[in-house]
């Protein structure tokens, strides 16, 4: 038979669990990939969230709006961009504020500025990680980067799902881009070959470039890469871990 002491202990444990996992406790309030699994039309976008690990960044934020691309738009993006560039594009589609349809259509005239996951990266691209949200003609809502030369090619299509005031999933017509966004992988591949040459692996670096295998390593770099590279003859430097 349970004693009064046992009942008091059970109540204390229950209270601790409520405090630790309640919505006010800052626990993970959403799982974006699990939510999108219910919508097959966004399966390609969802798969790239997992491949790039942007899903972990989204889930780590208590308040976020995900601008998602359907399979057609995501396929177009994936066809022309390496994984590192896709990762930055997905980060730019994750707004660090809550926007649902009523809030979008209630925006005042002019543009509303909001930050994105790209802005939190701290690298050069992060300086361009802000998005303008603007009410366009005909009741449309457009999204554009704050970078010079950016256009409102991405427009709101529909609301997909939401957890009020924490997560909003909105479909948009196209990715948000700015000049140079997709050039990021070029710098990454240059850095890889430069590291190999500095480590005394010039011949191996040249073979990667001429054979086309460099792109395979380039796509893997964003998730972490350990590369065992043979050194050029007469070089006594140790192998480098990249």
């Amino acid at each position: 038979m349970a004693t009064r002491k046992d009942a008091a202990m059970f109540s204390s444990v229950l209270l601790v669990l409520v405090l630790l996992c309640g919505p006010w406790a800052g626990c993970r309030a959403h799982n974006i990939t699990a939510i999108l699994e219910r919508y097959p039309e966004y399966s390609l976008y969802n798969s790239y969230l997992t491949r790039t690990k942007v899903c972990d960044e989204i889930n780590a934020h208590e308040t976020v709006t995900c601008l998602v691309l359907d399979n057609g738009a995501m396929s177009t993006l994936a066809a022309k961009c390496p994984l590192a560039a896709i990762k930055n594009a997905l980060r730019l589609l994750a707004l660090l504020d809550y926007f649902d349809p009523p809030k979008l259509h209630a925006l005042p005239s002019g543009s509303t500025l909001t930050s994105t996951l790209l802005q939190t990266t701290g690298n050069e691209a992060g300086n361009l990680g802000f998005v303008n949200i603007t009410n366009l003609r005909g009741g449309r809502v457009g999204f554009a980067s704050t970078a010079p030369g950016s256009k409102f090619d991405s427009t709101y299509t529909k609301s997909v799902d939401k957890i009020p005031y924490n997560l909003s999933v909105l479909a948009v017509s196209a990715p948000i881009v700015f000049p140079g966004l997709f050039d990021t992988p070029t710098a990454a591949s240059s850095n890889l070959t430069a590291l190999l040459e500095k480590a005394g692996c010039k011949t191996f670096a040249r073979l990667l470039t001429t054979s086309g295998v460099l792109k395979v390593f380039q796509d893997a770099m964003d998730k972490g890469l350990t590369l065992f590279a043979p050194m050029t003859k007469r070089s006594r430097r140790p192998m480098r871990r990249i």
Side-chain angles (χ1 to χ4, degrees):
M1 181 178 293
T3 65
R4 183 174 298 178
K5 183 177 180 180
D6 293 333
M9 182 177 295
F10 175 78
S11 298
S12 298
V13 171
L14 183 61
L15 178 60
V16 169
L17 290 174
V18 171
L19 291 174
L20 287 177
C21 297
W24 50 81
C27 295
R28 179 178 293 182
H30 46 254
N31 184 326
I32 182 59
T33 54
I35 289 172
L36 288 177
E37 283 177 358
R38 303 196 294 265
Y39 304 95
E41 63 267 44
Y42 306 110
S43 59
L44 188 58
Y45 172 93
N46 200 20
S47 70
Y48 273 99
L49 284 184
T50 301
R51 289 182 61 186
T52 60
K53 299 188 183 301
V54 171
C55 57
D56 295 335
E57 299 177 29
I58 291 172
N59 292 339
H61 283 77
E62 185 176 355
T63 304
V64 62
T65 297
C66 292
L67 306 179
V68 301
L69 303 171
D70 64 23
N71 291 337
M74 190 67 215
S75 179
T76 301
L77 175 64
K80 63 182 180 181
C81 300
L83 195 63
I86 293 172
K87 184 170 187 174
N88 279 341
L90 295 179
R91 283 169 167 165
L92 196 58
L93 288 169
L95 314 181
L96 300 184
D97 199 351
Y98 181 82
F99 293 94
D100 57 10
K103 184 174 180 179
L104 285 180
H105 293 294
L107 291 174
S109 58
S111 296
T112 296
L113 187 68
T114 186
S115 60
T116 71
L117 280 179
L118 185 61
Q119 190 270 330
T120 67
T121 60
N123 55 30
E124 184 177 351
N127 297 327
L128 302 172
F130 293 90
V131 164
N132 278 324
I133 308 175
T134 297
N135 278 320
L136 305 173
R137 292 180 179 178
R140 296 183 303 134
V141 177
F143 303 86
S145 169
T146 56
S150 300
K151 300 179 180 179
F152 287 94
D153 293 329
S154 179
T155 57
Y156 165 72
T157 303
K158 66 178 181 178
S159 177
V160 178
D161 211 326
K162 63 180 178 180
I163 300 174
Y165 310 111
N166 289 113
L167 173 70
S168 179
V169 183
L170 306 176
V172 291
S173 60
I176 301 170
V177 300
F178 57 79
L181 174 63
F182 301 139
D183 295 339
T184 303
T186 302
S189 61
S190 298
N191 289 340
L192 176 58
T193 54
L195 284 170
L196 288 169
E197 291 176 0
K198 186 177 180 181
C201 308
K202 292 184 179 180
T203 301
F204 183 71
R206 185 168 61 253
L207 286 173
L208 286 183
T209 303
T210 57
S211 66
V213 178
L214 181 62
K215 185 179 184 302
V216 177
F217 292 121
Q218 172 186 300
D219 287 345
M221 282 182 69
D222 208 47
K223 297 186 290 184
L225 173 68
T226 299
L227 179 61
F228 294 94
M231 292 182 292
T232 302
K233 190 176 180 180
R234 295 181 181 179
S235 175
R236 296 183 179 180
R237 296 179 182 177
M239 290 183 288
R240 288 288 301 274
R241 181 179 178 182
I242 301 173

